[in-house]
Amino acid sequence: MTAPFSASDAPVTDLPVVRLRPKANARAIRHGFPWVYANELVTDRRTKALPSGALAQLQDDARNPMGIVGVTPTSKIIARVLDRDPAAQIDQSWFEARLVRALALRTRLFDAPYYRLVHAEADGLPGVIIDRFGETCVIQPNAAWADALLSPLVAALQSVTGVQTVLKNASGRTRGLEGLDDVNAVLAGTAPDAPIPVPMNGATYMADLTGGQKTGLFYDQRPNHAFAAALARDARVLDVFSHVGGFSLAALAGGAERALAVDGAQPALDLAQASAEAMGVADRFATRRGDAFEVLTALREEGAEFDVVICDPPAFAPTRPALEAGLRAYERVARLAAGLVAENGILGLCSCSHAADLAAFRGASVRGTGRAGRRAALIHTGFAGPDHPQLPQLAESGYLKSLFFRL
């Protein structure tokens, strides 16, 4: 194991220095934890005066260099570890090295360039999300350091992938916490003037890269879409919180008899309808706009029944303070959805709330199905696909959970 740097052999650097407090967990950072919290750092006048997104050399309390960090003085996550080499140069070449590694994994996983190319900390780019849609990439620079270095990042992205168009999506919730703007932009090339067709699990999805949610499409559910589709042959399928038809279109590609997509956003349902038409399955596909809880209640009153019901809501518990209310919402979804599942049918329940861990989400789901008077057997637990790798040291990177029950 390489010995840590000492103060006497610290590399020469023009970067400012930030230092851990004596009680900070320096060992965790050396072992791969990527964040430094504000109460772990000496926040003297010089540190507070650093511009948001500034690069700095991180030292432990004994002044031993630990690496290069991006600093946001006003954030609870005051520093993000970019490189454990204190002499690293964070430039276009540095970005290229990380993107080459990220691309190598995705090209092993997929035979077409439609995937999450960079998944933040797990790909060595803290706070950075990059989704690829053929010759277009959409970047979410959700940390101040990345927003400040967009130019070399975009140049590296084009150099490594050869994409012509790069878009900035500024809708990430954490951008506000980092003091960043919410303005989308075209960083290279020309923005597409129509939704981009994306092939996935035998279905075709229409991704709106400029006006849709997040980057335009959620790639993380790909393996869970596939699992649900395998259960859907000749089935009646209900896809609630469907966005652009994630589960319902995959189910139709897998041979479902018919599918109903429910969402509160008409533009998302319009994209789902366009996808169904492009796939030639529009005669087996229907949409229903409305509040998911109200639609679930109405369907029950109408006597509707489905062989497969999937609910993939937005994050009900995006933060710790929201956890209790979020778990009650997940329980309510499970109760309402379970009442629509035919005997021996399948209920799929999903959560993208990192504050609700798997055990808590599973407990809420089981309580909900029990309150509906249903006996449930858990048949599968799914997570995000491998293009959304988890950093083992960072629990937040394992945000997505999907539970499938036979009722």
Side-chain angles (χ1 to χ4, degrees):
M1 182 175 179
T2 304
F5 286 90
S6 66
S8 61
D9 59 13
V12 177
T13 178
D14 294 329
L15 295 178
V17 171
V18 294
R19 189 169 298 115
L20 293 179
R21 295 177 183 269
K23 292 185 178 180
N25 193 349
R27 177 178 296 180
I29 295 170
R30 287 196 174 96
H31 290 175
F33 189 74
W35 296 346
V36 180
Y37 294 107
N39 62 359
E40 297 179 309
L41 203 69
V42 176
T43 49
D44 55 20
R45 186 168 55 186
R46 287 185 301 176
T47 300
K48 291 179 180 179
L50 290 173
S52 185
L55 301 182
Q57 183 187 101
L58 178 67
Q59 296 183 356
D60 63 18
D61 65 300
R63 301 179 185 271
N64 298 312
M66 299 178 66
I68 304 299
V69 295
V71 180
T72 308
T74 58
S75 175
K76 179 181 177 182
I77 303 173
I78 196 169
R80 299 172 190 264
V81 180
L82 307 183
D83 201 304
R84 293 168 66 185
D85 177 2
Q89 299 293 315
I90 312 300
D91 54 15
Q92 181 176 334
S93 295
W94 183 88
F95 280 113
E96 287 175 351
R98 275 156 175 72
L99 291 169
V100 164
R101 187 186 315 137
L103 181 62
L105 173 62
R106 278 67 180 184
T107 53
R108 292 179 69 180
L109 293 170
F110 306 109
D111 58 5
Y114 300 92
Y115 41 67
R116 173 149 294 181
L117 175 60
V118 169
H119 192 54
E121 282 78 0
D123 281 304
L125 293 171
V128 177
I129 298 297
I130 304 178
D131 283 347
R132 184 173 184 180
F133 301 89
E135 295 306 310
T136 300
C137 280
V138 181
I139 300 179
Q140 281 192 316
N142 293 329
W145 77 271
D147 204 68
L149 293 175
L150 266 180
S151 291
L153 172 55
V154 171
L157 180 61
Q158 290 191 288
S159 173
V160 170
T161 65
V163 298
Q164 301 299 309
T165 299
V166 181
L167 308 178
K168 170 191 169 187
N169 179 283
S171 66
R173 185 181 66 87
T174 56
R175 285 183 62 83
L177 302 176
E178 293 277 305
L180 301 173
D181 64 56
D182 59 356
V183 180
N184 296 339
V186 179
L187 303 176
T190 303
D193 56 7
I196 291 179
V198 176
M200 192 161 55
N201 290 320
T204 298
Y205 296 90
M206 296 298 176
D208 182 354
L209 307 190
T210 57
Q213 292 185 38
K214 301 290 185 174
T215 63
L217 191 68
F218 298 114
Y219 283 128
D220 52 0
Q221 287 280 24
R222 187 188 323 234
N224 301 312
H225 289 165
F227 182 81
L231 299 170
R233 179 169 294 280
D234 299 324
R236 301 161 295 171
V237 176
L238 175 63
D239 178 11
V240 187
F241 305 98
S242 73
H243 188 224
V244 295
F247 280 98
S248 46
L249 294 173
L252 290 170
E257 176 186 308
R258 57 184 172 87
L260 173 62
V262 175
D263 201 87
Q266 190 61 49
L269 293 176
D270 291 343
L271 288 171
Q273 186 66 47
S275 298
E277 291 168 2
M279 293 168 59
V281 297
D283 59 327
R284 294 186 283 136
F285 181 69
T287 65
R288 186 159 172 171
R289 181 189 178 189
D291 174 83
F293 295 101
E294 294 177 1
V295 172
L296 287 169
T297 301
L299 286 170
R300 182 65 185 273
E301 293 172 350
E302 295 164 14
E305 186 178 75
F306 301 87
D307 304 297
V308 177
V309 176
I310 310 288
C311 296
D312 184 17
F316 287 147
T319 62
R320 292 289 179 188
L323 178 58
E324 185 176 342
L327 291 175
R328 288 197 300 269
Y330 287 124
E331 180 179 332
R332 186 183 176 201
V333 166
R335 176 176 59 84
L336 293 173
L340 297 170
V341 179
E343 185 73 13
N344 292 317
I346 302 297
L347 173 62
L349 301 170
C350 308
S351 167
C352 59
S353 299
H354 70 76
D357 64 18
L358 177 59
F361 174 58
R362 186 171 55 219
S365 299
V366 171
R367 287 193 301 273
T369 56
R371 287 183 62 197
R374 303 303 298 271
R375 179 180 177 185
L378 181 62
I379 62 171
H380 180 71
T381 301
F383 303 96
D387 54 342
H388 292 64
Q390 297 182 30
L391 186 68
Q393 297 90 341
L394 191 65
E396 287 83 351
S397 64
Y399 65 97
L400 182 65
K401 290 82 61 178
S402 293
L403 305 174
F404 290 85
F405 301 89
R406 186 198 65 199
L407 302 189

